[in-house]
Amino acid sequence: MSKPNTLIFVDLTSDDPAAAGEFYADVFGWENDPRPYGVFHRMVPGGNMYDSNGNETTIGNFHLGIHKADNTRPHPNNEGADPREIAGPGSKARVWILVSDDDTMEDILERAVSKGAKVLWKDHFWYEFNGFNSAFEDPWGNEIILWGKGGAEPQIPAHFTTE
């Protein structure tokens, strides 16, 4: 294989993709693109990725999909496949979101909670990847990790947990 396989986007599960699309549009400011409405919603963050020098590239940011739990598309069977419910408690895939320079984790958490999310943890620094992070669970049980770059000499507040 001469080229690696490419990650296109990741789907979240919801029993109400339209409401989930509105949630993510309100919390992160993303475009909610229903395809079709209530069945699959593509969340479009807009903008482009940056290179290691901080310069904007021509590569667009990844999209996030939201699919309907009781009939996940695409699927060869028109009725979809089991299971047909949103994920319950326990370990599951997590989605990592890099917080932009013109937003804050606190503001994002506040918007998410006001829309029905639950804060899982906050105010943590991970030395291995030089990042500040917090996490919430959306109203459909999906886990979202917020990430902020630590920089060359990160100033870690005394109340933060670290690892």
Side-chain angles (χ1 to χ4, degrees):
M1 180 175 9
S2 62
K3 293 184 181 179
N5 297 305
T6 303
L7 175 66
I8 300 171
F9 59 88
V10 175
D11 278 0
L12 297 179
T13 304
S14 172
D15 56 2
D16 187 350
E22 292 171 18
F23 174 89
Y24 283 97
D26 291 344
V27 170
F28 291 112
W30 295 341
E31 177 189 344
N32 178 9
D33 181 23
R35 312 221 14 205
Y37 182 86
V39 176
F40 183 86
H41 286 243
R42 181 178 69 155
M43 304 310 299
V44 183
N48 293 323
M49 295 189 179
Y50 290 84
D51 65 20
S52 60
N53 295 319
N55 300 310
E56 189 171 8
T57 70
T58 58
I59 303 167
N61 284 316
F62 293 120
H63 297 174
L64 177 74
I66 302 171
H67 68 269
K68 189 168 181 135
D70 68 359
N71 193 349
T72 301
R73 309 307 311 154
H75 192 274
N77 178 342
N78 287 336
E79 289 78 41
D82 290 328
R84 298 179 186 278
E85 61 274 340
I86 58 177
S91 293
K92 59 190 101 176
R94 304 181 299 172
V95 175
W96 296 72
I97 306 297
L98 179 62
V99 177
S100 72
D101 292 339
D102 63 351
D103 206 350
T104 69
M105 283 188 206
E106 286 300 321
D107 287 347
I108 291 170
L109 290 172
E110 185 178 309
R111 290 191 302 267
V113 167
S114 76
K115 302 283 182 188
K118 174 177 77 173
V119 173
L120 297 174
W121 44 269
K122 61 186 231 172
D123 300 341
H124 184 72
F125 185 81
W126 194 3
Y127 283 101
E128 182 69 24
F129 291 98
N130 190 25
F132 297 95
N133 45 82
S134 297
F136 68 85
E137 182 180 271
D138 75 10
W140 302 274
N142 298 297
E143 189 172 335
I144 308 300
I145 311 294
L146 303 176
W147 189 266
K149 295 177 184 175
E153 294 184 33
Q155 300 300 305
I156 304 164
H159 72 281
F160 270 51
T161 56
T162 62
E163 66 180 280

Short mmCIF file of all heavy atoms in Angstrom, two decimals, residues 11-21 23-24 36-41 65-72 83-88 115 138-142:
data_model
loop_
_atom_site.label_atom_id
_atom_site.label_comp_id
_atom_site.label_asym_id
_atom_site.label_seq_id
_atom_site.Cartn_x
_atom_site.Cartn_y
_atom_site.Cartn_z
N ASP A 11 -18.96 9.32 13.28
CA ASP A 11 -20.38 9.51 13.59
C ASP A 11 -20.64 9.37 15.08
O ASP A 11 -20.07 8.50 15.74
CB ASP A 11 -21.21 8.39 12.95
CG ASP A 11 -21.55 8.60 11.51
OD1 ASP A 11 -21.16 9.63 10.94
OD2 ASP A 11 -22.22 7.72 10.95
N LEU A 12 -21.53 10.19 15.58
CA LEU A 12 -22.10 10.01 16.91
C LEU A 12 -23.49 9.42 16.74
O LEU A 12 -24.14 9.61 15.72
CB LEU A 12 -22.21 11.35 17.64
CG LEU A 12 -20.91 12.08 17.93
CD1 LEU A 12 -21.19 13.40 18.63
CD2 LEU A 12 -19.99 11.21 18.77
N THR A 13 -23.96 8.72 17.75
CA THR A 13 -25.29 8.13 17.73
C THR A 13 -26.25 9.00 18.53
O THR A 13 -25.90 9.51 19.58
CB THR A 13 -25.25 6.71 18.33
OG1 THR A 13 -24.31 5.94 17.62
CG2 THR A 13 -26.61 6.05 18.26
N SER A 14 -27.47 9.13 18.02
CA SER A 14 -28.52 9.87 18.71
C SER A 14 -29.86 9.26 18.38
O SER A 14 -30.02 8.68 17.30
CB SER A 14 -28.49 11.34 18.27
OG SER A 14 -29.60 12.04 18.80
N ASP A 15 -30.81 9.38 19.29
CA ASP A 15 -32.17 8.98 18.94
C ASP A 15 -32.93 10.15 18.31
O ASP A 15 -34.06 9.99 17.86
CB ASP A 15 -32.93 8.41 20.15
CG ASP A 15 -32.98 9.35 21.34
OD1 ASP A 15 -32.46 10.48 21.24
OD2 ASP A 15 -33.53 8.95 22.37
N ASP A 16 -32.28 11.32 18.26
CA ASP A 16 -32.88 12.51 17.65
C ASP A 16 -31.77 13.33 16.97
O ASP A 16 -31.28 14.31 17.53
CB ASP A 16 -33.60 13.34 18.71
CG ASP A 16 -34.39 14.50 18.14
OD1 ASP A 16 -34.24 14.81 16.93
OD2 ASP A 16 -35.16 15.11 18.90
N PRO A 17 -31.33 12.92 15.76
CA PRO A 17 -30.25 13.63 15.09
C PRO A 17 -30.52 15.11 14.85
O PRO A 17 -29.59 15.92 14.88
CB PRO A 17 -30.09 12.88 13.76
CG PRO A 17 -30.61 11.52 14.04
CD PRO A 17 -31.74 11.72 15.01
N ALA A 18 -31.77 15.48 14.65
CA ALA A 18 -32.08 16.91 14.44
C ALA A 18 -31.75 17.70 15.70
O ALA A 18 -31.11 18.76 15.63
CB ALA A 18 -33.54 17.08 14.04
N ALA A 19 -32.17 17.21 16.87
CA ALA A 19 -31.87 17.89 18.13
C ALA A 19 -30.37 17.87 18.41
O ALA A 19 -29.80 18.87 18.89
CB ALA A 19 -32.64 17.25 19.28
N ALA A 20 -29.72 16.75 18.12
CA ALA A 20 -28.27 16.67 18.32
C ALA A 20 -27.54 17.65 17.40
O ALA A 20 -26.58 18.30 17.82
CB ALA A 20 -27.78 15.24 18.08
N GLY A 21 -28.01 17.78 16.17
CA GLY A 21 -27.41 18.75 15.25
C GLY A 21 -27.54 20.17 15.78
O GLY A 21 -26.59 20.95 15.72
N PHE A 23 -27.86 20.98 18.95
CA PHE A 23 -26.98 21.01 20.13
C PHE A 23 -25.56 21.39 19.71
O PHE A 23 -24.97 22.32 20.25
CB PHE A 23 -27.01 19.64 20.83
CG PHE A 23 -26.05 19.52 21.98
CD1 PHE A 23 -26.43 19.87 23.26
CD2 PHE A 23 -24.77 19.02 21.79
CE1 PHE A 23 -25.54 19.74 24.33
CE2 PHE A 23 -23.87 18.89 22.84
CZ PHE A 23 -24.27 19.25 24.12
N TYR A 24 -24.99 20.65 18.76
CA TYR A 24 -23.61 20.90 18.36
C TYR A 24 -23.44 22.23 17.62
O TYR A 24 -22.39 22.87 17.74
CB TYR A 24 -23.06 19.71 17.56
CG TYR A 24 -22.70 18.58 18.50
CD1 TYR A 24 -23.58 17.53 18.72
CD2 TYR A 24 -21.53 18.62 19.23
CE1 TYR A 24 -23.28 16.53 19.64
CE2 TYR A 24 -21.22 17.63 20.14
CZ TYR A 24 -22.09 16.59 20.34
OH TYR A 24 -21.79 15.61 21.25
N PRO A 36 -30.61 13.23 5.10
CA PRO A 36 -31.74 14.16 5.22
C PRO A 36 -32.07 14.46 6.68
O PRO A 36 -31.65 13.76 7.58
CB PRO A 36 -32.89 13.39 4.57
CG PRO A 36 -32.56 11.96 4.83
CD PRO A 36 -31.05 11.88 4.81
N TYR A 37 -32.87 15.51 6.85
CA TYR A 37 -33.24 16.00 8.17
C TYR A 37 -33.78 14.88 9.05
O TYR A 37 -34.64 14.10 8.63
CB TYR A 37 -34.31 17.10 8.03
CG TYR A 37 -34.71 17.72 9.35
CD1 TYR A 37 -33.99 18.77 9.88
CD2 TYR A 37 -35.80 17.23 10.06
CE1 TYR A 37 -34.34 19.33 11.09
CE2 TYR A 37 -36.16 17.78 11.27
CZ TYR A 37 -35.43 18.83 11.78
OH TYR A 37 -35.77 19.37 13.00
N GLY A 38 -33.24 14.79 10.27
CA GLY A 38 -33.71 13.82 11.24
C GLY A 38 -33.16 12.42 11.09
O GLY A 38 -33.39 11.57 11.94
N VAL A 39 -32.43 12.15 10.01
CA VAL A 39 -31.87 10.82 9.78
C VAL A 39 -30.35 10.84 9.96
O VAL A 39 -29.78 10.04 10.67
CB VAL A 39 -32.23 10.30 8.37
CG1 VAL A 39 -31.56 8.96 8.09
CG2 VAL A 39 -33.74 10.19 8.22
N PHE A 40 -29.71 11.77 9.27
CA PHE A 40 -28.26 11.94 9.38
C PHE A 40 -27.97 13.43 9.30
O PHE A 40 -28.47 14.12 8.41
CB PHE A 40 -27.54 11.20 8.25
CG PHE A 40 -26.04 11.28 8.36
CD1 PHE A 40 -25.34 10.38 9.13
CD2 PHE A 40 -25.34 12.29 7.73
CE1 PHE A 40 -23.96 10.45 9.26
CE2 PHE A 40 -23.95 12.39 7.85
CZ PHE A 40 -23.28 11.46 8.61
N HIS A 41 -27.18 13.92 10.23
CA HIS A 41 -26.79 15.33 10.21
C HIS A 41 -25.27 15.40 10.17
O HIS A 41 -24.59 14.76 10.97
CB HIS A 41 -27.34 16.07 11.44
CG HIS A 41 -28.80 16.32 11.34
ND1 HIS A 41 -29.33 17.58 11.31
CD2 HIS A 41 -29.85 15.48 11.23
CE1 HIS A 41 -30.64 17.51 11.20
NE2 HIS A 41 -30.98 16.24 11.15
N GLY A 65 -20.38 13.34 11.94
CA GLY A 65 -21.71 12.88 11.57
C GLY A 65 -22.53 12.55 12.80
O GLY A 65 -21.99 12.20 13.84
N ILE A 66 -23.84 12.67 12.68
CA ILE A 66 -24.76 12.24 13.74
C ILE A 66 -25.81 11.37 13.06
O ILE A 66 -26.56 11.84 12.21
CB ILE A 66 -25.42 13.44 14.44
CG1 ILE A 66 -24.36 14.37 15.03
CG2 ILE A 66 -26.39 12.95 15.53
CD1 ILE A 66 -24.91 15.69 15.55
N HIS A 67 -25.85 10.11 13.45
CA HIS A 67 -26.80 9.19 12.83
C HIS A 67 -27.90 8.78 13.80
O HIS A 67 -27.72 8.84 15.01
CB HIS A 67 -26.09 7.97 12.24
CG HIS A 67 -25.50 7.06 13.27
ND1 HIS A 67 -24.21 7.19 13.71
CD2 HIS A 67 -26.02 6.01 13.95
CE1 HIS A 67 -23.96 6.27 14.61
NE2 HIS A 67 -25.05 5.53 14.78
N LYS A 68 -29.01 8.37 13.24
CA LYS A 68 -30.17 7.97 14.03
C LYS A 68 -30.00 6.52 14.48
O LYS A 68 -29.81 5.62 13.68
CB LYS A 68 -31.45 8.12 13.20
CG LYS A 68 -32.70 7.95 14.00
CD LYS A 68 -33.91 8.38 13.21
CE LYS A 68 -35.14 8.21 14.08
NZ LYS A 68 -36.01 9.35 14.00
N ALA A 69 -30.08 6.31 15.80
CA ALA A 69 -29.79 5.00 16.39
C ALA A 69 -30.71 3.90 15.86
O ALA A 69 -30.25 2.77 15.64
CB ALA A 69 -29.92 5.07 17.91
N ASP A 70 -31.97 4.20 15.62
CA ASP A 70 -32.89 3.13 15.23
C ASP A 70 -32.87 2.81 13.75
O ASP A 70 -33.58 1.90 13.30
CB ASP A 70 -34.31 3.40 15.72
CG ASP A 70 -34.98 4.58 15.03
OD1 ASP A 70 -34.35 5.24 14.18
OD2 ASP A 70 -36.15 4.85 15.36
N ASN A 71 -32.06 3.52 12.96
CA ASN A 71 -31.92 3.18 11.54
C ASN A 71 -30.65 3.82 10.99
O ASN A 71 -30.68 4.75 10.20
CB ASN A 71 -33.14 3.64 10.74
CG ASN A 71 -33.16 3.03 9.35
OD1 ASN A 71 -32.18 2.44 8.90
ND2 ASN A 71 -34.26 3.19 8.66
N THR A 72 -29.53 3.28 11.42
CA THR A 72 -28.23 3.81 11.01
C THR A 72 -28.02 3.61 9.52
O THR A 72 -28.13 2.52 9.01
CB THR A 72 -27.11 3.11 11.81
OG1 THR A 72 -27.34 3.33 13.20
CG2 THR A 72 -25.76 3.66 11.43
N PRO A 83 -27.64 -2.94 17.09
CA PRO A 83 -28.63 -2.46 18.05
C PRO A 83 -29.30 -1.17 17.56
O PRO A 83 -28.74 -0.44 16.75
CB PRO A 83 -27.82 -2.22 19.31
CG PRO A 83 -26.45 -1.89 18.82
CD PRO A 83 -26.27 -2.68 17.55
N ARG A 84 -30.47 -0.89 18.08
CA ARG A 84 -31.26 0.26 17.63
C ARG A 84 -31.47 1.30 18.72
O ARG A 84 -32.44 2.04 18.71
CB ARG A 84 -32.61 -0.22 17.10
CG ARG A 84 -32.47 -1.14 15.90
CD ARG A 84 -33.83 -1.62 15.43
NE ARG A 84 -33.69 -2.60 14.39
CZ ARG A 84 -33.49 -2.33 13.11
NH1 ARG A 84 -33.41 -1.09 12.71
NH2 ARG A 84 -33.38 -3.30 12.23
N GLU A 85 -30.55 1.36 19.66
CA GLU A 85 -30.67 2.35 20.73
C GLU A 85 -29.33 3.05 20.92
O GLU A 85 -28.30 2.57 20.45
CB GLU A 85 -31.14 1.71 22.03
CG GLU A 85 -30.22 0.65 22.60
CD GLU A 85 -30.47 -0.75 22.01
OE1 GLU A 85 -31.54 -1.02 21.45
OE2 GLU A 85 -29.54 -1.55 22.09
N ILE A 86 -29.38 4.18 21.62
CA ILE A 86 -28.15 4.91 21.88
C ILE A 86 -27.33 4.15 22.92
O ILE A 86 -27.85 3.30 23.64
CB ILE A 86 -28.44 6.37 22.32
CG1 ILE A 86 -29.32 6.41 23.56
CG2 ILE A 86 -29.07 7.15 21.19
CD1 ILE A 86 -29.59 7.81 24.07
N ALA A 87 -26.05 4.44 22.97
CA ALA A 87 -25.12 3.75 23.87
C ALA A 87 -25.49 4.00 25.32
O ALA A 87 -25.93 5.10 25.69
CB ALA A 87 -23.70 4.20 23.60
N GLY A 88 -25.28 2.99 26.13
CA GLY A 88 -25.50 3.12 27.56
C GLY A 88 -24.21 3.50 28.26
O GLY A 88 -23.23 3.89 27.62
N LYS A 115 -27.66 23.09 27.46
CA LYS A 115 -28.42 22.34 26.45
C LYS A 115 -28.64 20.89 26.87
O LYS A 115 -29.05 20.07 26.07
CB LYS A 115 -27.69 22.36 25.11
CG LYS A 115 -27.43 23.74 24.56
CD LYS A 115 -28.69 24.29 23.97
CE LYS A 115 -28.43 25.66 23.38
NZ LYS A 115 -29.67 26.29 22.98
N ASP A 138 -22.78 14.38 26.07
CA ASP A 138 -23.92 15.06 25.46
C ASP A 138 -25.23 14.38 25.90
O ASP A 138 -25.19 13.33 26.56
CB ASP A 138 -23.76 15.16 23.94
CG ASP A 138 -24.01 13.87 23.19
OD1 ASP A 138 -24.50 12.87 23.76
OD2 ASP A 138 -23.72 13.84 21.97
N PRO A 139 -26.38 14.96 25.62
CA PRO A 139 -27.64 14.37 26.08
C PRO A 139 -27.93 12.97 25.52
O PRO A 139 -28.85 12.30 25.99
CB PRO A 139 -28.69 15.37 25.58
CG PRO A 139 -27.97 16.67 25.50
CD PRO A 139 -26.58 16.29 25.05
N TRP A 140 -27.13 12.50 24.55
CA TRP A 140 -27.33 11.18 23.95
C TRP A 140 -26.29 10.17 24.40
O TRP A 140 -26.20 9.07 23.88
CB TRP A 140 -27.37 11.32 22.42
CG TRP A 140 -28.47 12.27 22.06
CD1 TRP A 140 -29.79 11.95 21.87
CD2 TRP A 140 -28.37 13.67 21.92
NE1 TRP A 140 -30.51 13.10 21.64
CE2 TRP A 140 -29.66 14.18 21.66
CE3 TRP A 140 -27.32 14.59 22.02
CZ2 TRP A 140 -29.93 15.52 21.48
CZ3 TRP A 140 -27.58 15.94 21.84
CH2 TRP A 140 -28.87 16.39 21.56
N GLY A 141 -25.46 10.56 25.36
CA GLY A 141 -24.47 9.64 25.93
C GLY A 141 -23.12 9.62 25.26
O GLY A 141 -22.26 8.82 25.61
N ASN A 142 -22.88 10.50 24.29
CA ASN A 142 -21.59 10.56 23.61
C ASN A 142 -20.61 11.39 24.44
O ASN A 142 -20.97 12.42 25.00
CB ASN A 142 -21.75 11.20 22.22
CG ASN A 142 -22.67 10.38 21.34
OD1 ASN A 142 -22.38 9.25 21.01
ND2 ASN A 142 -23.81 10.95 20.98
#
